Amino acid sequence: MSFLIVALALVAAQHSVMATCPLPEADQSQDAFERGETCASPGPHRLETGEDDMTAMLQDSRRAVRSHSQTPTARNGGLPKQYTCGLKEKSKLLLMVSSSGVRGPDIKASLDELVSALPAADGSANYSKLNLLEIYDPCMLKSSFWNEADDDFNAETGMNYVKLGIKNMTHDLEDNFNYVGPDEEMMDGSWCYNEWTNSSITGGLKDLGFASHAQVSIMDHMMQSGEFEELVRADLGITGSASVKALMAKLQKRPVPSALKRLIEEADVFAMCGGNPDLAAFVMRAFPAVAKLLKKKLEKGRAVYMGRSAGGMVAGSNAAFSYEPTPEMFQSVLSADPTGLQLLPECIVKPHFKTEAHEVYASALEKGSGLRVARIPNYMALACKSGSCVLQGSPRPADLEWQNAKGHYYGHLDAVYDDLKGVKRRP
């Protein structure tokens, strides 16, 4: 599973660097777990680890999982509710990351609170004074975004290149639609939600009453015809890393076009859609001038950032906790460094969190990296204001079930260990 390669290789690579920066012990109170005793964020992540490092990581992770099963949080099927994520108390950042958009009254109330803090809102959640900018780049490695023969292309609540109005990027991707590489490289499945739909249906934003909205792709503004196809072919493993590194170097020098700059400057709320977190990280890496504009406005509290799924992951320290089907974007295009916007410098965002499937990996990732994993189940959101992030919403109880049977999760960790050895053997 590529998730093990992407996320836990990161753990092993960081283990020896972060070993002297321990997390609070898992059997301490929730207040102790979330008080601001956090470690410094590590630098770029590479698959550089030895057998001893992996063994130490596995042993540490076993202890973390064993201790976790004894905490009230685990026994009661609960979750950490508050995170600092490395934000300063006087931080002006207004941010919400979610698994399911704006679904439910608690999440809507949290968004209202963030919006009320905007200078343009005059202290109230009056969306009629605000401009919304929807960004759809994370969606653009999905077959359903480009392939009109894909069953999901015409999904009523989905997004595709026709609805988005793609202008500059080539549509000549037919040869790649059904490609399956030797390591099962393929275009992403399913579809991305169109954020300009109603909150009660998709968690979208259409019915909130914004003064205006625009739907864009940063890549469509910043790339020339044929360059995106080159990126797709690199993601599929058809072309090597050398060509895409040359492309990256060329893209990083490009200024922001006036039309895109104006959209960013006029926006009061940025909504980053779901999709592929590695692609979202690529966009922020390939176009640093765009990332700088976004971060400058967000860090001054002049806009709210809303990230759904992958759009939330790129707001964290890195977007490592991913299930995307191919390793090429992570390994070749990103050079194994999934760093994104880093709006939350000491948190890794994990949307769609399920305790049974993800807690072991989350514990291992925290133990190995010194970062927090913000666990966000479906129908929940993490809202950040004044330097503190609070989990809101009502998860499904089944998503938080934890098995206390001795050794139940050790097989997961053994699989992690085997996969990391497999990564080490790769050329």
Side-chain angles (χ1 to χ4, degrees):
M1 182 182 294
S2 64
F3 160 68
L4 296 177
I5 295 174
V6 174
L8 274 305
L10 168 64
V11 172
Q14 292 175 338
H15 182 274
S16 60
V17 176
M18 304 301 295
T20 60
C21 195
L23 292 171
E25 291 299 323
D27 60 352
Q28 291 181 344
S29 68
Q30 194 60 44
D31 287 341
F33 184 75
E34 286 306 331
R35 66 182 179 235
E37 298 175 353
T38 50
C39 302
S41 298
H45 318 304
R46 298 290 185 269
L47 305 183
E48 297 172 356
T49 185
E51 189 85 6
D52 291 343
D53 289 333
M54 288 191 290
T55 301
M57 184 214 68
L58 183 65
Q59 291 172 345
D60 281 351
S61 299
R62 281 180 182 267
R63 285 192 289 270
V65 170
R66 185 165 57 247
S67 297
H68 177 86
S69 67
Q70 303 303 316
T71 66
T73 296
R75 289 199 300 270
N76 297 332
L79 287 168
K81 295 295 173 59
Q82 191 167 0
Y83 298 82
T84 59
C85 292
L87 298 177
K88 296 180 180 179
E89 185 176 346
K90 294 183 179 181
S91 171
K92 295 182 179 180
L93 179 69
L94 302 168
L95 176 144
M96 175 178 284
V97 295
S98 73
S99 292
S100 309
V102 188
R103 290 190 187 182
D106 291 346
I107 297 177
K108 170 60 165 55
S110 292
L111 180 59
D112 288 348
E113 183 180 352
L114 297 179
V115 164
S116 298
L118 290 172
D122 295 329
S124 65
N126 188 349
Y127 292 87
S128 66
K129 298 181 178 181
L130 306 178
N131 301 317
L132 170 67
L133 181 60
E134 305 161 40
I135 303 172
Y136 286 92
D137 293 88
C139 190
M140 295 174 68
L141 284 179
K142 289 188 178 292
S143 170
S144 63
F145 185 87
W146 299 101
N147 185 1
E148 297 181 27
D150 191 294
D151 291 342
D152 292 327
F153 181 83
N154 290 312
E156 184 177 355
T157 59
M159 179 56 74
N160 60 45
Y161 79 90
V162 176
K163 292 180 182 179
L164 189 55
I166 292 294
K167 297 176 182 178
N168 299 324
M169 294 164 61
T170 177
H171 302 167
D172 299 327
L173 300 172
E174 287 85 353
D175 291 344
N176 304 304
F177 288 158
N178 299 311
Y179 178 84
V180 180
D183 290 325
E184 298 187 355
E185 298 96 339
M186 65 186 76
M187 294 193 76
D188 298 350
S190 189
W191 75 90
C192 298
Y193 280 118
N194 183 346
E195 300 298 339
W196 198 241
T197 48
N198 288 341
S199 58
S200 60
I201 300 173
T202 65
L205 304 168
K206 183 177 182 180
D207 55 344
L208 300 187
F210 281 96
S212 70
H213 86 107
Q215 298 177 314
V216 301
S217 157
I218 293 171
M219 289 186 290
D220 192 40
H221 279 267
M222 298 291 293
M223 298 177 87
Q224 299 173 1
S225 179
E227 291 177 337
F228 180 72
E229 183 177 6
E230 186 176 348
L231 177 64
V232 171
R233 290 172 63 81
D235 176 60
L236 296 175
I238 298 172
T239 59
S241 60
S243 63
V244 78
K245 286 179 180 178
L247 173 63
M248 176 84 83
K250 181 168 60 174
L251 296 177
Q252 287 175 332
K253 298 176 183 178
R254 287 194 181 154
V256 183
S258 58
L260 179 58
K261 186 176 182 180
R262 184 174 62 254
L263 286 170
I264 293 173
E265 289 177 343
E266 293 178 354
D268 300 293
V269 177
F270 299 110
M272 185 78 75
C273 79
N276 190 315
D278 290 337
L279 181 58
F282 165 81
V283 170
M284 296 304 138
R285 183 91 53 79
F287 308 116
V290 174
K292 183 178 180 180
L293 278 178
L294 290 170
K295 289 193 70 172
K296 182 178 180 180
K297 188 164 188 175
L298 291 164
E299 289 173 347
K300 288 185 176 181
R302 293 172 47 224
V304 171
Y305 182 93
M306 280 204 60
R308 183 199 290 258
S309 191
M313 295 176 73
V314 76
S317 175
N318 61 68
F321 215 129
S322 171
Y323 277 104
E324 294 307 321
T326 68
E328 302 298 338
M329 180 63 71
F330 174 72
Q331 294 176 349
S332 298
V333 179
L334 296 179
S335 301
D337 180 3
T339 302
L341 280 170
Q342 293 193 310
L343 297 171
L344 303 176
E346 293 180 4
C347 277
I348 294 171
V349 174
K350 173 54 189 149
H352 314 298
F353 179 85
K354 294 183 179 181
T355 301
E356 173 69 19
H358 305 133
E359 181 57 43
V360 167
Y361 305 117
S363 296
L365 199 54
E366 287 179 327
K367 198 70 177 178
S369 70
L371 304 173
R372 305 284 194 212
V373 173
R375 298 153 170 83
I376 309 174
N378 289 331
Y379 307 107
M380 298 200 80
L382 189 71
C384 302
K385 181 185 176 185
S386 302
S388 179
C389 300
V390 179
L391 200 60
Q392 302 283 7
S394 301
R396 293 174 292 200
D399 289 347
L400 302 185
E401 291 180 355
W402 173 269
Q403 303 297 324
N404 279 324
K406 185 177 181 180
H408 177 78
Y409 295 100
Y410 287 175
H412 290 201
L413 291 173
D414 291 337
V416 171
Y417 181 74
D418 290 342
D419 265 326
L420 286 172
K421 289 193 293 184
V423 170
K424 186 63 179 178
R425 288 195 299 268
R426 290 191 176 201

